[in-house]
Amino acid sequence: MSSEYPGPHGKAAQRRETIYWMRVAAQRALGIYLSVPFCRSKCTYCNFASGVYPASQHGRYVDRVVEDMRGARDWAERMGVELPRRVDTVYLGGGTPSLLEPELVAAVFDAMRAEFDLDADAEITMECAPGQIADATLEAMARAGVNRVSLGVQSFVDREAQVSGRLHSRAIVEQDLRRLRRAGIANLNIDLIGGLAGQTRGSWEQSLDALLAAEAPHASVYMLEVDEESRLGREMLNGGGRYYAELVPSDEAIAEMYGRAIERLGAARLAQYEISNFSTAGFESRHNLRYWERRPYLGLGLDASSALHAAELSSRKDGPADLLRAKTTDELTAYLSGPQPAETAWLSPAQQFEEAWFLGLRLNAAVDMEALEREFGAEMVAAAREVVERLAEDELVSADGARVRLTARGRLVSNDVFQEFLGLGAGQLAR
Ligand code: SF4
């Protein structure tokens, strides 16, 4: 490769060299996301591709995932993307991966270790639902090297959990936290949602009290998403009384809950490092950081996304390395029937530039415009600078020299802020 990019001969060559070395650094290790779409019941607010399926599907599903894992290298070669063997983060999400039987947990990790080299200190996360982690599965998780668990609590107030379709109580969550720690898994995340039906400012404080009392080193706090994809969202948009839409707090109350979470978690040394994520120092989610920092990952299973760099550096002048985004089917029956072609799109440099903004702005660490200039060139950054100035006037972002971050107000309407960076780029490339 170095003979292809022999060193700086003018600005364009310098930029190409920078891009090349950035990509080499980024390619050193891969993250693997594996989706497990099975749930014991469907939560009212859930807009994921998950469902309640008979346990008899679990084995077939894992067989298919293993088949895809074995075929991943051939697929990457056909697509012309680089698939590093070295893996430094793994994330089993869903769905409820803790519903997998112990032998299936073992089968997933055996296959993964046969195809990839997992770092000895790789972060290996599994999402679990409270009250849905069988003893034998927990043992299998620990044996397979799972060293981080994300627990979908959403509310510590039993009535709220119940009307949202969750199957646990606060006592069950606390018991599971003790069991996980006894099994040697102390790197724990707890998810909460602000805006559940029946939630009040007072009950939110109770959930925050319980969250802090649990002393997990990581917490994710989401605000309720209202869209047609969830039953609660549809009821809020179209009316009805089955999922307690009338008990969903107002937008102002939800914004206040989010603000209180930032305040109280910060005071307890769970520092916010991303719009929805908080951790004690050194316990940030390494896997999720790779999405926002635009490092490569392979998605396996139902409705899973991948982002992988082209094996050969783009021949386009001044363009950064090509990036392939791929997404697997979200139809379980189709997925189980055999290998399915993934939906793929090569992102143009301009599209990658837009992503650099809306992924980077999620992080409190800020977007560094000088780094973007080295990667994408001065012209693209100049266009974004105008957007930044406009957003700064509205106090949605703050700019400290070349470093741009969302303000507290910007975080509340982050999707609207991100929209402002769309359209700086051109359309997708056909390849
Ligand atoms: S457990 Fe998670 S994936 Fe399953 S229905 Fe509830 S929110 Fe959705």
Side-chain angles (χ1 to χ4, degrees):
M1 272 306 226
S2 58
S3 61
E4 236 178 294
Y5 303 102
H9 300 296
K11 258 170 92 181
Q14 259 174 9
R15 196 173 306 137
R16 285 170 68 77
E17 179 143 313
T18 306
I19 291 158
Y20 170 67
W21 286 111
M22 285 172 71
R23 203 188 69 169
V24 168
Q27 293 287 33
R28 279 190 197 125
L30 180 73
I32 295 180
Y33 174 80
L34 198 154
S35 86
V36 179
F38 306 118
C39 292
R40 196 161 278 168
S41 68
K42 189 78 180 167
C43 305
T44 62
Y45 54 81
C46 179
N47 54 9
F48 300 131
S50 65
V52 182
Y53 302 100
S56 57
Q57 302 276 42
H58 296 184
R60 280 181 70 198
Y61 184 79
V62 167
D63 286 348
R64 277 287 300 114
V65 169
V66 168
E67 194 182 351
D68 280 355
M69 225 184 280
R70 292 189 180 133
R73 209 152 291 285
D74 283 350
W75 172 80
E77 209 166 294
R78 282 198 306 280
M79 297 306 300
V81 291
E82 201 164 322
L83 190 69
R85 236 196 113 79
R86 196 188 133 207
V87 169
D88 62 356
T89 67
V90 177
Y91 196 104
L92 265 66
T96 309
S98 57
L99 288 181
L100 288 181
E101 292 71 8
E103 61 280 11
L104 298 181
V105 173
V108 163
F109 283 100
D110 287 350
M112 200 180 288
R113 289 197 162 89
E115 298 300 322
F116 298 94
D117 300 328
L118 270 61
D119 280 359
D121 69 342
E123 178 194 86
I124 304 178
T125 305
M126 205 157 134
E127 285 183 352
C128 298
Q132 299 178 42
I133 321 168
D135 284 341
T137 297
L138 180 53
E139 274 170 36
M141 286 161 55
R143 255 200 315 275
V146 173
N147 50 26
R148 184 172 184 273
V149 159
S150 177
L151 210 53
V153 174
Q154 321 313 353
S155 170
F156 278 96
V157 176
D158 293 352
R159 175 79 187 136
E160 287 167 17
Q162 199 192 336
V163 299
S164 302
R166 307 295 293 172
L167 302 173
H168 62 257
S169 63
R170 175 174 172 169
I172 288 174
V173 175
E174 288 168 349
Q175 188 185 34
D176 278 348
L177 289 168
R178 285 193 293 274
R179 291 173 65 227
L180 288 161
R181 285 177 168 131
R182 269 203 307 272
I185 304 174
N187 188 355
L188 299 166
N189 168 59
I190 292 175
D191 278 352
L192 287 187
I193 296 181
L196 293 176
Q199 213 163 38
T200 62
R201 289 171 175 87
S203 73
W204 181 244
E205 296 295 328
Q206 286 173 35
S207 275
L208 292 177
D209 288 342
L211 172 69
L212 296 177
E215 295 188 337
H218 194 283
S220 302
V221 178
Y222 301 100
M223 291 183 277
L224 182 75
E225 279 179 29
V226 179
D227 59 34
E228 292 278 353
E229 303 300 313
S230 74
R231 291 174 299 168
L232 178 60
R234 280 195 295 278
E235 191 168 285
M236 288 176 71
L237 296 169
N238 309 324
R242 194 152 167 214
Y243 303 110
Y244 305 97
E246 76 282 5
L247 297 182
V248 169
S250 67
D251 288 350
E252 294 71 39
I254 296 174
E256 218 178 282
M257 289 173 192
Y258 177 63
R260 279 294 288 159
I262 294 172
E263 215 174 285
R264 293 199 58 195
L265 270 56
R269 292 179 193 275
L270 281 161
Q272 185 178 28
Y273 67 97
E274 193 266 351
I275 292 177
S276 307
N277 287 285
F278 303 78
S279 86
T280 52
F283 283 88
E284 296 83 4
S285 163
R286 283 163 52 195
H287 184 84
N288 287 339
L289 276 171
R290 81 181 320 125
Y291 299 141
W292 305 313
E293 292 174 350
R294 298 182 294 129
R295 284 182 280 126
Y297 53 91
L298 173 71
L300 294 161
L302 197 72
D303 200 30
S305 301
S306 302
L308 295 163
H309 292 291
E312 299 294 329
L313 195 60
S314 167
S315 57
R316 282 191 305 279
K317 280 196 192 85
D318 301 344
D322 279 346
L323 181 80
L324 181 80
R325 287 213 169 269
K327 191 161 170 304
T328 60
T329 176
D330 59 3
E331 287 289 326
L332 183 66
T333 316
Y335 183 73
L336 290 178
S337 71
Q340 300 291 316
E343 262 179 46
T344 57
W346 287 96
L347 298 199
S348 66
Q351 286 172 310
Q352 291 180 57
F353 181 66
E354 291 170 359
E355 284 202 351
W357 278 101
F358 63 76
L359 294 174
L361 277 176
R362 299 190 65 92
L363 293 169
N364 288 32
V367 169
D368 180 353
M369 286 200 282
E370 283 172 5
L372 290 188
E373 206 161 291
R374 285 194 295 278
E375 187 178 354
F376 294 98
E379 301 90 270
M380 274 203 215
V381 174
R385 233 179 260 278
E386 288 172 26
V387 175
V388 167
E389 277 166 23
R390 188 157 33 84
L391 293 170
E393 270 171 33
D394 292 339
E395 296 178 4
L396 295 169
V397 301
S398 67
D400 171 13
R403 304 185 70 77
V404 183
R405 49 172 68 82
L406 290 178
T407 58
R409 194 161 156 247
R411 279 190 199 105
L412 284 172
V413 290
S414 55
N415 286 337
D416 297 332
V417 174
F418 302 153
Q419 290 290 328
E420 298 295 318
F421 291 92
L422 294 178
L424 290 177
Q428 284 178 8
L429 291 187
R431 250 176 86 143

